[in-house]
Amino acid sequence: MIQIDLTGQVAVVTGGSSGIGLATAELFLRAGASVAICGRDADRLAAAEAALNAQFPGAQLLAQSCDVLDADAVAGFAKAVQDRFGRTDMLVNNAGQGRVSTFADTTDEAWREELDLKYFGVIRPTRAFLPMLRDAKHAAIVCVNSLLALQPEPHMVATSSARAGLLSLVKSLATELAPQHIRVNSILIGIVESGQWRRRYATQAKPGQSWEDWTGELARSKHIPLGRFGLPEEAAQALFYLATPLSSYTTGSHIDVSGGVARHV
Ligand code: NDP
């Protein structure tokens, strides 16, 4: 793996207490950056903080309870980062989860909730951290998006629609923020083993069915060319690339991390 030294730089990862966000926080810490993570569930956040501190003794790590949909909490998170580290160089907008529903069974309220999460989960942290990002020499924002943005699925109608909107938002932000030397990109993921899939396994697997068996069956039924789910660290590596000067001439773009599921050229 290409090495880059991020000593003295600060990375913020929303939803850094599990799955892709936690794997991304690990990569930043390994590269020497100071890292701030947030999540809603205090126990999950504390467990992630303990695991990261055990893995990286002496790490510069801030873990704060924060719902990215709560403007005051997000402002408080940004202030805590400012007070502790004095800067932000990289913001990874990762917090969230998908919604499984067809048009027939998605209520107005469900539509609003989903649009709220997908848009404001990015808008609020971006707005709150922008003043610090503007002061950084090599600033970057990276959003975790889904291949659903380009290849919608009817059984995830609201998520797919919101994901397409997020792709557009990333493009607009990239253009608006380029003169301020802030790059904005996203990753489009397929299926990545993570907390939300572990929770689905707990409720959907056949009695006695192993995780490997269940995910293998799903990978086959979903015709994933690489034949398996992605790993959180595989998504994290793409996020790391886009967040750091390794991708210094890339903005308004995305990386496909879907195991080959995309059908378009
Ligand atoms: P996980 O459930 O493992 O992690 C999600 C993280 O986001 C947790 O830390 C969770 O903590 C946090 N989170 C969720 N909602 C909020 C919120 N409102 N405010 C603050 N933190 C929040 O799942 P993944 O790692 O898979 O998910 C990461 C991102 O990837 C999500 O945006 C998801 O939609 C996206 N994605 C994932 C796919 C996959 O197959 N795994 C596919 C397509 C997209 P807590 O619950 O304690 O708040």
Side-chain angles (χ1 to χ4, degrees), residues 117-180:
L117 177 62
K118 294 301 180 305
Y119 278 102
F120 285 96
V122 169
I123 291 168
R124 294 232 166 89
T126 299
R127 193 184 279 137
F129 284 93
L130 254 187
M132 283 188 276
L133 291 166
R134 284 196 185 103
D135 289 340
K137 196 164 165 220
H138 301 289
I141 298 169
V142 194
C143 298
V144 175
N145 200 344
S146 161
L147 185 63
L148 293 172
L150 297 175
Q151 199 161 286
E153 294 280 358
H155 73 280
M156 295 187 77
V157 66
T159 295
S160 299
S161 169
R163 289 303 195 184
L166 178 58
L167 198 59
S168 167
L169 173 61
V170 165
K171 196 77 175 167
S172 298
L173 271 175
T175 309
E176 184 172 332
L177 299 180
Q180 298 166 45

Side-chain angles (χ1 to χ4, degrees), residues 14-22 38-42 44-45 66-69 93-98 117-118 144-148 163 189-197 199-200 232:
T14 68
S17 60
S18 172
I20 296 165
L22 181 56
C38 78
R40 294 163 304 178
D41 186 279
R44 189 177 296 155
L45 192 63
C66 166
D67 182 338
V68 290
L69 298 182
N93 286 314
N94 161 76
Q97 61 189 22
L117 177 62
K118 294 301 180 305
V144 175
N145 200 344
S146 161
L147 185 63
L148 293 172
R163 289 303 195 184
I189 56 180
I191 297 184
V192 173
E193 287 185 15
S194 65
Q196 56 178 325
W197 281 99
R199 290 191 289 278
R200 284 175 197 159

Side-chain angles (χ1 to χ4, degrees), residues 26-48:
E26 282 178 33
L27 288 186
F28 284 130
L29 287 169
R30 188 164 296 137
S34 303
V35 173
I37 59 172
C38 78
R40 294 163 304 178
D41 186 279
D43 292 342
R44 189 177 296 155
L45 192 63

